[in-house]
Every structure is written in C-alpha cells, then in structure tokens.
Amino acid sequence: METNLEINGTRHRLDIDPRTTLLDALRHHLGLTGSKKGCDHGQCGACTVIVNGRRINSCLTLACMHDGDEVTTIEGIGQPDNLSALQAAFVQEDGFQCGYCTPGQICSATAMLEEVRNGWPSHVTDDIASGAELTDAEISERMSGNLCRCAAYPNIVEAIRKAAEKSA
Amino acid sequence: MRAFDYVRADSAEGAVRDAAGGAAFIAGGTNLIDLMKLEVMSPETLVDINRLAMNGIEDTADGGLRIGALVTNSDLANDSRVRRNWPVLSRALLAGASGQLRNKATTGGNLLQRTRCLYFYDRASACNKREPGTGCAAQEGFNRILAVLGTSEHCIATHPSDMAVAMRALGAEGRR
Amino acid sequence: MTEHFKMDAPATEHRLDDMAQGLVGAPLDRPEGPFKVTGTATYANEWQIEGMVHGIMVRSPGNSGRVVLANRDAVAAMPGVLAVIQDDRLLRNPAQGTADAAPIQGARHADYTGQLIAVVVAESFEQARHAAQSLTVVLESGKTVTVDPDTAAVEPQEGQAVDQGDLESAMRDAAHRVDVVYSTPSHSSSPMEPHASIATWDGDDLTLRGSYQMLKYNRNELADALGIHPDRVRIISPFVGGGFGSKLGLSPEAVAAAIAAQQLGRPVSVALTRPQVYEATMRRSETHQRVRLSADGDGRLTGLGHDARVSNLPGETFAEPVLQASHFLYAGSNRQMSLDLVRLHRMCAGSVRAPGEAVGVTVLENAMDELAHEIGIDPVALRLRNIPETDPESGKDFSSSRFREALESGAEAFGWADRPGLKERREGEWLIGYGMASAARINVLMESQARVTLLPDGTARVETDMTDIGTGTYAILGQIAGDMLGLPRDAVTVVLGDTGLPPAAGSGGSWGAASSGTSVYVACEAIRRQLAERLGVAEPDLMLKDGRATYANQTQALSDVLKGDEIAKLGHVTPGDTSKAVRQATFGAYFAEVAVHAATGETRVRRMHGSFAAGRILNAKTARSQCLGGMTFGIGIALTEEMAFDPRDGHVTNHNLAEYHIPVNADVPQLTVALLEERDDWANPLQAKGIGELGICGAAAAITNAIFNATGVRVRDYPATLDKVIAGM
Ligand SMILES: Cc1cc2nc3c(=O)[nH]c(=O)nc-3n(C[C@H](O)[C@H](O)[C@H](O)COP(=O)(O)OP(=O)(O)OC[C@H]3O[C@@H](n4cnc5c(N)ncnc54)[C@H](O)[C@@H]3O)c2cc1C
Ligand code: SF4
Ligand code: FES
Ligand code: FES
C-alpha cells in the first residue's frame, strides 16, 4: 500500500503492508525510533506523535490512514545540540529517569500547551464554559495519557510549567 | 492482525456499498485497531470513513445540536455550545480515556466501541459476545469491572462509553 | 593494573568531602539527558540492523500439560513466515536476579498459563504477529494443578524463622496489643519498555542487544541456556527503559531470539508484547501477613511477631523476603517470625522493586498505626519510643542510622502537628486524613569492577558493564571520577552497558551506585597515586582541580603531567568483613495527606513527604528522583495495583496497562523529599548507601493510615480501592 507522509517537514513515500501502524512505520520502516512502543494498545502514551497539529497515539492508527498528513515526531522537535524549551526543561528538572516514556511525554506536552492556549477545558477545570489556567493540577490531568513507571511526574509537571512560563 | 483490504470512502453512499459482507468502518480506530491487533475483530475489508464530511456540529431548529459521527471527542467536549448548554456531555467526555485518545476517538466510534470485559479481549476464554454459544468466562472469573444491574445469564458486560451515559441522560437520539 | 579493594574495615577517611572539584552530591543534570529527550538514546529494540527479521512469542493457553503445536506446518507456510520454533532451551520462566545460570528450561511442557512456549519468526513484524496468533496450541495429558494460595501445599522457610523470648506470654501480659492479618496482592514491575532482544551471530559468537539490569549475570545465564561458553556471548544494554526487578534475570525472549537467529542465519528481534510482559516476566508474590505487637503502658514494644505466606512456581527457590526489615526496625525482646512458601501454578514470582520491604514494612507500619491508635499516642511518638539501640536480634551495632532524625524532621517538614483527630476533618464532600509510616531497607555491597583511563589530553573515560536503568549511573560515575581526578563533569565520559567492559554489580537491590561507584573510586585512587609518583609528591598532597594538578606550590595541567601517556586502572571492589560486623540499613519516614470522598470512597493523595537517610548522596537530583519513583510505587500499592488472577486457571486477567493500574500523573501530587546528611563508614569508601528502593519500603502504609485517620476504615487487604473503603464507611 503506497502512502505519503510528511514527517518533520520531509516527504516520505512508503509502500507497506496496510496493517502497519503509524508507530511501526516510523520505527521499522523509517528508522525513527524516537517514538516508543510501551503497550501497542493506546494505554501508555509512549508512542505519542503530533498529526496535523494534534497529539495522538501512533500505535492505534494505521500509516495508510495518514496519506498526505503532517506528522511531527520527537526527532522534529529538537536535537541534542538544539533542544526545544520543553526538552531543555525536562533535562533540567529531571523530568525522566529511564527515558523511555520521555519522547512521548514531550510530544504530548508540546501539543497539550497548544490545547491550553486554545482554551480547551479538562476534567479538572472548574468552570468549563471558560478556559483554564495552567495550574499543576491541570498539567497533571492533561498529561495523564502518558504513563511513567519511573514516576518522574512531579518533575514533569515542574518542567512543563517552567517551559510554559518561559514562552509566555 | 489479519490481512485486510483497505479502501478509503469518498462518499457515505460509497462507504455503505463498500461495507457489504465482512467489512468494518474505521473512524478513529482507537477501538477497532486495538481489537484487530488481538484478532478479537478481524474484518476482511476496512472502509476508512475519515475523509467523509461528517465532522460538523450544527444547531437544530428545536434548539438542539446535530453532532456528526466523525466529530472527535475532543472537538465535541470543546465545543462552546456544548460547554455552555450541555456541560454534562463535555464533562463525561473529558473524564474518559486520554487527551491523545480523545483527539482520535469519534462520536460514532465511541458509541459503537465494544465492551472492555477482560474475557472478551482474551481469545483463550469463552465469551458469548465474541463467539456466541461458547459461554461466559466472566461470570465465575474476575469481573470487578462488570455489571451488577441489567445483566443476563449470557453476559454481564458493561458498555464502556462515558459519553453514552451523558447522551442518554440528555435524551440524545441517533439519526441518519 | 588491577586495584583490588576488600571492604574489611570502616572507611573513616571521608576523601570525597575534601576533593576540590566538588561534583559529588551536587544536583547535576544527567549527561545522557539530551539523548533521552530527543529520542536519540538507543534502547534494545531500536538498533537498525541490516536483514533483521521479527519474532513473536506464543503463550500457553493452559497451566499444565505437554505442549502440542497442532497446526505448526500450516503456520510455517503462511506468508513471510521463516520459522516456527519450539525448543528445549527456551526458558520456562525468567532467571531470578543474580542467578548466574539458566532457570528451568523446556518449552514442551506448560506449567502456567501464559508461559511462552514457542516463537514464530517472519520477514515483517505484521506477518510474525498474525502467524503467532494463528498457531493453535494444545495441551495434552495435563494435570489439575493448584492456582489458589489458600489451598496450596506449604513449605516453611526454616532459615527465615526467629524465635526469641516468649511472644505468647508477652502478648498475654501486654498493656496494649494488636494481632492483625493483612494481605497484599501480586504486583507487576511494569517497566515502560517491554522486554526485547535482538540477536546476531557472527560464526560462533553471539551479540545480544537486550534490556537488562545485570549484564555479567545475564551473559552467563544466556550462555548456560544455550549451552555455549560465556566468552562467546556479548550483551549490550546502554539504555534500559526501566526494570524494577523484571530485567534482573534473563527472560524468555533473549533465548528465543538467539536460537532463531542461529537457525536462520539472520539477525532476529524478539520483543514481548505488553500482555506477555505481564504474564511471563516476574510478579511480586502476593502475601498473607500476620503481625502481633505487644506494648507496655508507655508504648514500649515488648514483643513483635511477623508471620508471612508467599508463593512461587514449583522448582523456584525465591520466596519474597517479607520479614527482611522486621528483624531490625523496632525493639522488643520477645520476637517470633516465620515465612511460608506455597507452590502455585501462577506465573513466576521474583524480585519486584524492593522485594521484601515493599510489602513487609508496609504491613508492619499499618500494625504500628493500629497500635498507636490502641494506646492513644501519636504514631510518630510510638516509633520514636521503639527505635532500637542495636539490632534487636543479633545485638550488632547499626552501621549508621538517622531514623530518629528522619521521623522528627519529616514530621516538621510535613506539618504533622496539624494532624486532625480521627474522622475530624471534612472539606465539603471530602474527608481529610493524615498518615505516616517509617521506611527501612537493608544495605548491601557487591563485587564490582570498572576501568578508569586518564587520557593524554587530560580527560577521562570510565568503562564498566554497569547499567543505567534510570537510576543515574551515567551521572554519578562521572561525578565520582571527576572529583577524584579533578576534572569538570564534561571532561569525563562514562561508557556502560556492554559485557565487553569490566563486570559490575549490576542494577538491583539498591547496591548498584555504591558498588560500581566504589570500583570507580578505587581505580581513581590508583591513578592519583601514579600521578603523585610522577610528580614526586605524596598522594595526599596532590590537589586536582579543573584538569590541573597542584602540589608543593606549583600547578601544572594534567596533559603536561601525562606527557602523551595515558593511565588506565581497573578498580575492583569486593565485600568484606563490614558486611557481617554490623547491621547496615537505610531509614526514613513518610507523611501523607489524603482526601477520601464521602459518597464514593475514592481516595486522592493530596500531599506526601519523604525524609530519607542513605549515607552520602552522590547526586541530589537523581537521588531525589529515585525517591519520587519509590513513593509513587507506594501510591500504587496503596490504592490501585493488583494483579488479578483468574480463580480457575490462574492466568493474569488484567495483563495490560489499561487494567493493571499504575499511578498516572494525576494520581501523584507534587511530592516532597528531604535527603538527610549522613556518612556510613561501614558501607564503602564513598560512605554511600542504596537509595533506589528505600522510597517504596512502607510508603503505602502512610496512605492507608491516612485513610484510617480520615474515615476510621482499616482496609486490610490491599489495594484500598473505593469499594473496600466505602464498605467500611
Ligand atoms: C486505553 C484506552 C482507554 C479508554 N478509556 C475510555 C474511557 O475512559 N471512556 C470511554 O468512554 N472510552 C474509553 N476508551 C474508548 C474510546 O473512547 C473508544 O475507543 C473510541 O471512542 C472509539 O472511537 P473511534 O472513532 O476510535 O472508533 P473506531 O475504533 O474507529 O470504531 C469503533 C467501532 O465503531 C464502528 N464505527 C465507527 N464509526 C462508525 C460510523 N460512523 N458508522 C458506523 N460504524 C462506525 C467501527 O466499525 C468499530 O466497530 C478508551 C480506549 C482506550 C484504548
Ligand atoms: S461478560 Fe459478556 S463479554 Fe464478558 S465474557 Fe461474558 S459474554 Fe463475554
Ligand atoms: S505504545 Fe501507543 S499508547 Fe502505548
Ligand atoms: S522515565 Fe522511565 S518510564 Fe518515564
């Protein structure tokens, strides 16, 4: 099955089994192993990528469903010598330990901050008719689709808050 | 996951035509792909309906809303009319799944998602819902997440949708 | 060139306090951080190897019988399929930590549901997955086997029993007593990276890129499983996506990948699926625990009894060491303890983060809370009153202990004085309670080796097969070498995770940092001596800082001192007399505030604080993170984590991350951690002790004790889910 994907600004043409998930297309066919596989069933968030501006679980979608879509993976967010503000904040606040959930956390947080900017409410928002402030509780709730067994959660919240404050 | 033919529908009529026989529609895919990976569901043809224009939320003459089947859970929860006038629907959606899943999950798919009964998901177990007539492994098994009311002797599964509860409370109806 | 050091006497010289570079202890960022946050750190299943094919393992659908692959030929003929392998060398279950030899092998007989009995290899992952799912596995002539711990045969663990004084009489004569039974369910390590291995053969030489915690043991386990010499095996694990015990010993996918790769003459990757991680790696045994405490009118313990029952598969020797800290945490002269092991056909039980104390201290700390309530004294005061002067069973001294300070300063930091009375505080729909618990974990030094090379340009390289599973090894080894050799952190490169390097202690039992750190320290001391010799000064008179040597009023760049040479030393530490002479342990205290919903019984942890003392802290940032991780495991144990076994065949019904509930971000408040200053001379020359597991040992009890304070409900069978809490309200 032929599929065209625009990944991190570069066009890729793939001819793959329609069963291939977007995650496996990245990891097995394009050598982009920054997106992680933690469960393969939408339960952990390690595979989070941003498609057409929205964060999704790349393990629960087929590559062929994304013909023509724009995909941003962790590799497109920053490089070791050119970290994004969030990536730098994760390093500084120790927002990870083993690092396996980390690319997913960062992709998720990148898109999550955009959701907040656009006024999306969350489960913990008091008044859902108006927008939400970026409190610790809001960050925690919105990041709960990204599991971290090392449990860097308090540091992840700290990193996201600091990066958001900096860019505000 | 079994091999399947993948077709992309470009009209609702076409989609219905393509869906004859052992086919399934795929919307967000967050439930269907989950189950296909485990071979609990194995459609021969996958009809991708994502490019159909069914993702609108329109006001109706009687002061209600008409919600397209392909409206994502995020878009529905975030709709200013829903937040203002039917906040229970927003709340129910926001209580479910995760930010990533809600970005993909659709209104139609959410209603039609299958139960999360652990034995339904496990092909080694008997399950009347997955394979009618085989029995129900949940009844004498680990069933803490299943129903205590409204069960039958054949199945004690619950429908897992949070959104559906709010829709029901609001008296929503399915329409063509 | 090998410097051997045996820990036979206390290390009273605190050299790391005097080093001019000042790296050790500082909260420095992890040097590998930029790779982890950009997705450029390479984990096991991410090596891009030409010609690699994919293997998927197949589970047994039942718990007993001879395994027959009924449609093997048909599956072998499916598109892309290269092999369907059933082999006597496949592992029945993973190796226990430090096993050093293969565990029970044999894929032709199933002993538990979910056992991995075959591997199907195909050109693509998608083909392999479907083919593996298509294989029909039939069990023949199986027996009816036990899966229920309550009815299984009991094997008392004699070595663990204690019978000191007369507990029965002490209980009878006590002014206050509790006699309670608690149970904890099985727990899963659930690391975020599933177990995976890529095997490649070059002639008779096997390279395995895996995700393992203890490479020197894993290499021997793999060689033994395959029946080849360990010299033929190399394991590479530079990045490990979490382990928490489940990657201590070799697991089934490694052997499957090696066999398949040899048979096919191609590199083979085998990754466990998430359900397979749950069903076929390790579980922490469920426990059934009875605790008896007797106290005099002032709340001084006169007796302590702890009897536990745990389980494992037939043939496995590991028995969850529930009593490990009960032996020394509290005083009380009449003591009785016992550990029973029952045999079950559930998946293998082994080490899950802090084996023993994670559940043993937790239940003891619940019992202490029950006693405090019974006596009517403050739970902190009860602990303070019962801190033993010396080990209450052996009479040995403690190597060092800041247990008292942890309790007192922790209470202060948390604001314990503001603790509400029983069922006293309510905020709207929420009932508010405070709880606390002590923390304790044994401390161990293990044999470890590392090579340190001071290079001609005045930078250094540290090499060892030690792993960094998130624990901070890359950071701390660089800090130790940097301090000892007077180099900025960036001038030290740390290379880990390759059995081609000197064998280390491995990451487990919280001994990794202190053991591998000591080997680096020993090597660096030898380098310092050689530098001093070159310069003709006594080693203690040599000051090294920022790549320069200062001595006798002169200063010189290290590169000039080296004159084009390099100095390489292998540091080798082995434990010695200090392991036996004293009781070595780490201590701490937890404080938690919970809110319990008055209508639903749902518990939210609002605040949680931990104060810990673990000898010298090597990196304040990574040590704190380890404590955050431990305390979060505690939140999981308290409220949500439970492996649910099917009562009929013992399979893990909730074998995924949607149904086995590890804490998510929203379940964890902004935890606070205080690390107390301590030097433990008996532990090692770094005066450092393990901290990777201390944060979990008792943590859950602080939360369940807080639930009691809020609601008056004691949930004695973990986890304290809302249905159990509401049932008591
Ligand atoms: C880890 C995890 C956690 C979750 N937690 C929650 C939760 O807390 N609460 C909750 O409510 N849900 C939860 N879900 C379920 C999730 O909400 C559903 O998977 C999602 O709503 C399904 O929508 P979809 O568009 O992805 O459906 P798909 O997977 O695309 O489709 C589901 C089914 O609907 C059919 N279908 C879809 N669209 C149409 C259509 N337009 N016409 C006819 N048939 C159609 C498909 O053929 C398929 O049978 C969770 C899912 C996961 C994976
Ligand atoms: S409860 Fe229903 S879905 Fe679950 S095993 Fe029984 S029949 Fe199947
Ligand atoms: S791998 Fe996609 S959510 Fe876990
Ligand atoms: S850093 Fe290890 S799982 Fe998050």
Side-chain angles (χ1 to χ4, degrees):
Chain A
M1 174 100 213
E2 196 183 297
T3 304
N4 291 293
L5 297 170
E6 175 111 1
I7 302 171
N8 303 326
T10 308
R11 224 181 146 75
H12 293 268
R13 212 173 92 196
L14 285 169
D15 191 7
I16 47 177
D17 190 326
R19 289 176 290 184
T20 312
T21 61
L22 179 57
L23 177 61
D24 290 332
L26 294 170
R27 286 173 64 88
H28 296 160
H29 297 275
L30 295 166
L32 292 170
T33 56
S35 306
K36 306 302 180 195
K37 185 184 284 189
C39 68
D40 221 8
H41 287 277
Q43 303 163 351
C44 74
C47 63
T48 304
V49 299
I50 304 170
V51 175
N52 300 337
R54 292 199 173 180
R55 52 175 173 161
I56 66 165
N57 303 106
S58 62
C59 70
L60 277 192
T61 193
L62 302 172
C64 59
M65 292 164 67
H66 292 282
D67 193 47
D69 283 354
E70 278 177 30
V71 182
T72 304
T73 69
I74 190 69
E75 288 90 348
I77 286 182
Q79 297 73 44
D81 53 4
N82 176 32
L83 301 178
S84 76
L86 260 172
Q87 288 170 321
F90 267 68
V91 173
Q92 201 167 31
E93 301 302 325
D94 217 28
F96 55 88
Q97 294 176 43
C98 76
Y100 198 75
C101 71
T102 314
Q105 301 276 1
I106 291 171
C107 284
S108 186
T110 302
M112 180 276 283
L113 289 174
E114 198 54 38
E115 292 171 4
V116 175
R117 256 175 243 128
N118 292 336
W120 289 21
S122 87
H123 175 58
V124 297
T125 308
D126 278 336
D127 174 12
I128 58 165
S130 48
E133 298 278 308
L134 196 67
T135 60
D136 287 356
E138 285 282 356
I139 297 173
S140 283
E141 164 61 24
R142 292 166 191 264
M143 291 301 294
S144 284
N146 292 84
L147 306 186
C148 176
R149 186 53 154 171
C150 298
Y153 298 132
N155 295 352
I156 290 170
V157 171
E158 199 73 25
I160 293 173
R161 182 169 13 80
K162 290 206 168 134
E165 279 165 7
K166 223 169 163 182
S167 68
Chain B
M1 190 186 292
R2 280 195 215 171
F4 51 80
D5 291 326
Y6 172 83
V7 287
R8 205 172 283 143
D10 42 26
S11 70
E13 296 69 34
V16 172
R17 203 173 335 105
D18 291 335
F25 295 130
I26 185 159
T30 59
N31 188 233
L32 188 54
I33 294 174
D34 188 9
L35 291 165
M36 284 170 64
K37 282 185 178 179
L38 299 167
E39 299 197 1
V40 170
M41 291 178 79
S42 295
E44 282 160 24
T45 305
L46 212 50
V47 182
D48 183 347
I49 56 174
N50 281 291
R51 312 219 170 190
L52 303 186
M54 301 196 301
N55 56 359
I57 307 176
E58 298 151 25
D59 292 312
T60 60
D62 57 357
L65 282 183
R66 182 182 159 97
I67 302 162
L70 287 174
V71 172
T72 65
N73 286 180
S74 290
D75 285 339
L76 185 56
N78 191 40
D79 184 272
S80 58
R81 291 159 291 184
V82 178
R83 281 159 70 179
R84 211 172 37 242
N85 302 329
W86 298 277
V88 65
L89 181 55
S90 277
R91 291 255 178 232
L93 285 159
L94 294 171
S98 66
Q100 291 96 312
L101 286 161
R102 293 193 297 268
N103 278 343
K104 268 262 138 197
T106 63
T107 309
N110 188 295
L111 290 174
L112 288 164
Q113 65 173 305
R114 310 299 303 271
T115 178
R116 296 194 86 85
C117 170
L118 302 174
Y119 297 92
F120 174 77
Y121 267 75
D122 171 20
R123 283 199 305 147
S125 295
C127 171
N128 286 329
K129 195 181 274 295
R130 182 167 25 78
E131 270 182 84
T134 54
C136 170
Q139 299 194 4
E140 305 292 321
F142 179 77
N143 52 24
R144 184 172 173 272
I145 64 168
L146 299 183
V148 288
L149 300 173
T151 61
S152 82
E153 59 180 297
H154 306 293
C155 180
I156 59 171
T158 44
H159 189 282
S161 167
D162 288 296
M163 180 193 77
V165 177
M167 291 250 187
R168 185 71 192 242
L170 295 171
E173 284 171 27
R175 277 197 209 147
R176 286 179 51 115
Chain C
M1 100 127 217
T2 301
E3 295 298 319
H4 180 230
F5 174 80
K6 188 155 177 271
M7 190 64 201
D8 276 332
T12 51
E13 213 189 344
H14 296 183
R15 295 204 74 176
L16 287 174
D17 285 321
D18 302 329
M19 291 298 154
Q21 197 70 38
L23 297 178
V24 167
L28 303 187
D29 295 348
R30 292 169 200 258
E32 81 285 11
F35 303 110
K36 287 178 171 172
V37 299
T38 53
T40 50
T42 308
Y43 295 83
N45 203 21
E46 299 180 346
W47 299 84
Q48 307 291 312
I49 299 174
E50 194 54 38
M52 187 174 84
V53 293
H54 299 265
I56 301 281
M57 300 204 74
V58 179
R59 75 195 277 274
S60 166
N63 57 24
S64 173
R66 198 167 65 80
V67 177
V68 178
L69 308 182
N71 60 346
R72 180 195 187 116
D73 294 345
V75 170
M78 287 174 67
V81 174
L82 300 168
V84 178
I85 300 172
Q86 199 189 15
D87 191 294
D88 288 331
R89 293 170 295 174
L90 289 177
L91 306 184
R92 180 188 73 163
N93 52 261
Q96 298 288 348
T98 72
D100 220 25
I104 295 178
Q105 291 169 272
R108 304 202 192 255
H109 194 277
D111 281 334
Y112 60 98
T113 308
Q115 183 181 329
L116 299 173
I117 44 79
V119 60
V120 178
V121 188
E123 290 285 350
S124 78
F125 171 75
E126 290 74 23
Q127 290 165 332
R129 180 176 57 193
H130 176 47
Q133 283 167 322
S134 305
L135 197 61
T136 305
V137 181
V138 177
L139 299 184
E140 287 183 346
S141 29
K143 293 182 302 220
T144 303
V145 293
T146 313
V147 297
D148 173 10
D150 290 333
T151 60
V154 175
E155 292 172 14
Q157 305 291 293
E158 308 293 353
Q160 300 263 350
V162 171
D163 199 351
Q164 195 173 295
D166 182 352
L167 182 62
E168 302 278 324
S169 310
M171 286 291 284
R172 199 172 47 237
D173 302 340
H176 305 283
R177 65 182 73 79
V178 298
D179 182 349
V180 285
V181 173
Y182 277 75
S183 62
T184 61
S186 280
H187 299 136
S188 166
S189 297
S190 302
M192 293 313 299
E193 179 203 24
H195 299 56
S197 291
I198 297 177
T200 48
W201 289 86
D202 180 4
D204 292 335
D205 291 325
L206 169 66
T207 300
L208 190 101
R209 290 171 170 87
S211 183
Y212 284 103
Q213 297 179 227
M214 300 196 150
L215 302 192
K216 75 174 175 199
Y217 300 103
N218 305 132
R219 177 172 79 156
N220 292 343
E221 289 152 8
L222 181 54
D224 187 34
L226 297 170
I228 62 177
H229 194 278
D231 287 351
R232 303 259 72 89
V233 177
R234 177 177 174 201
I235 300 184
I236 302 177
S237 289
F239 291 101
V240 178
F244 314 110
S246 73
K247 295 170 181 169
L248 289 176
L250 194 74
S251 66
E253 92 294 335
V255 179
I259 293 172
Q262 190 165 39
Q263 180 173 323
L264 295 169
R266 294 177 73 171
V268 175
S269 138
V270 181
L272 297 188
T273 65
R274 180 53 64 177
Q276 289 171 345
V277 172
Y278 276 99
E279 289 192 306
T281 63
M282 288 289 188
R283 65 182 169 100
R284 186 200 306 285
S285 172
E286 73 290 324
T287 70
H288 177 274
Q289 304 183 43
R290 177 187 186 195
V291 178
R292 285 172 289 174
L293 299 172
S294 60
D296 66 16
D298 297 331
R300 265 172 248 285
L301 288 173
T302 55
L304 194 161
H306 199 166
D307 302 283
R309 187 196 69 202
V310 301
S311 70
N312 211 340
L313 270 173
E316 283 297 309
T317 51
F318 180 86
E320 178 78 18
V322 178
L323 315 173
Q324 206 149 251
S326 303
H327 295 305
F328 62 83
L329 186 54
Y330 295 119
S333 50
N334 300 289
R335 308 174 81 85
Q336 194 176 311
M337 295 182 202
S338 68
L339 183 68
D340 286 344
L341 176 65
V342 298
R343 294 297 180 187
L344 288 186
H345 289 258
R346 286 182 181 177
M347 64 178 286
C348 193
S351 295
V352 173
R353 200 173 189 179
E357 286 93 331
V359 285
V361 175
T362 294
V363 169
L364 179 58
E365 288 304 296
N366 284 132
M368 286 293 279
D369 198 68
E370 298 212 25
L371 182 65
H373 178 69
E374 179 71 33
I375 303 173
I377 64 171
D378 184 278
V380 176
L382 178 67
R383 269 84 173 176
L384 290 171
R385 222 162 276 184
N386 288 289
I387 295 175
E389 295 269 301
T390 57
D391 182 299
E393 290 175 14
S394 67
K396 288 176 189 171
D397 285 334
F398 287 99
S399 57
S400 68
S401 165
R402 301 207 66 197
F403 188 15
R404 177 174 303 279
E405 293 82 351
L407 286 161
E408 286 170 346
S409 65
E412 177 71 33
F414 179 79
W416 181 251
D418 180 42
R419 176 177 181 245
L422 185 64
K423 297 168 65 169
E424 206 179 71
R425 193 170 297 172
R426 185 175 176 137
E427 293 176 12
E429 300 272 86
W430 296 93
L431 310 176
I432 311 301
Y434 286 12
M436 60 79 54
S438 304
R441 173 77 173 152
I442 54 161
N443 185 62
V444 182
L445 179 71
M446 293 289 268
E447 180 175 5
S448 204
Q449 299 185 33
R451 182 169 48 240
V452 180
T453 309
L454 186 59
L455 297 159
D457 64 356
T459 64
R461 189 171 62 226
V462 176
E463 296 165 297
T464 163
D465 84 353
M466 185 61 193
T467 48
D468 188 331
I469 62 172
T471 39
T473 318
Y474 282 109
I476 58 145
L477 296 188
Q479 285 171 273
I480 294 168
D483 261 7
M484 292 299 288
L485 301 177
L487 299 175
R489 179 62 192 86
D490 293 345
V492 184
T493 312
V494 179
V495 188
L496 302 177
D498 184 337
T499 53
L501 304 175
S507 302
S510 296
W511 60 59
S515 304
S516 66
T518 299
S519 68
V520 169
Y521 174 92
V522 167
C524 289
E525 271 200 317
I527 294 174
R528 289 180 66 95
R529 281 196 296 275
Q530 191 152 329
L531 284 172
E533 203 174 294
R534 279 189 172 227
L535 296 169
V537 293
E539 190 271 330
D541 297 336
L542 182 63
M543 205 239 334
L544 300 177
K545 185 165 189 279
D546 291 331
R548 303 183 69 79
T550 304
Y551 55 99
N553 296 327
Q554 309 180 41
T555 175
Q556 204 180 336
L558 279 178
S559 50
D560 294 338
V561 180
L562 289 162
K563 295 198 178 65
D565 297 338
E566 62 171 44
I567 306 178
K569 296 287 178 188
L570 186 74
H572 182 185
V573 58
T574 49
D577 296 343
T578 62
S579 297
K580 295 264 152 50
V582 284
R583 164 61 76 181
Q584 293 189 25
T586 51
F587 296 95
Y590 313 93
F591 298 85
E593 175 182 337
V594 303
V596 182
H597 198 271
T600 66
E602 176 190 3
T603 299
R604 307 291 305 163
V605 179
R606 286 186 157 188
R607 287 195 299 138
M608 191 168 176
H609 172 80
S611 284
F612 305 104
R616 183 192 301 277
I617 298 303
L618 299 169
N619 177 320
K621 188 177 281 191
T622 56
R624 175 176 170 274
S625 288
Q626 287 287 290
C627 297
L628 296 178
M631 288 161 70
T632 305
F633 260 68
I635 295 174
I637 291 175
L639 301 177
T640 54
E641 289 187 42
E642 169 174 27
M643 296 184 84
F645 297 95
D646 184 272
R648 295 152 299 187
D649 69 356
H651 83 268
V652 184
T653 58
N654 57 343
H655 55 207
N656 58 55
L657 287 162
E659 304 297 341
Y660 181 87
H661 295 148
I662 69 170
V664 304
N665 202 319
D667 294 327
V668 183
Q670 294 304 90
L671 308 172
T672 57
V673 172
L675 300 168
L676 307 189
E677 276 291 322
E678 186 181 37
R679 303 282 180 266
D680 192 328
D681 296 354
W682 294 85
N684 49 62
L686 313 178
Q687 294 88 31
K689 295 190 275 197
I691 198 157
E693 296 166 313
L694 179 60
I696 175 176
C697 302
I703 295 162
T704 46
N705 292 340
I707 293 175
F708 175 74
N709 179 244
T711 64
V713 178
R714 289 270 182 216
V715 176
R716 295 196 182 90
D717 59 329
Y718 277 92
T721 47
L722 68 184
D723 47 332
K724 296 176 193 167
V725 176
I726 201 79
M729 278 164 66

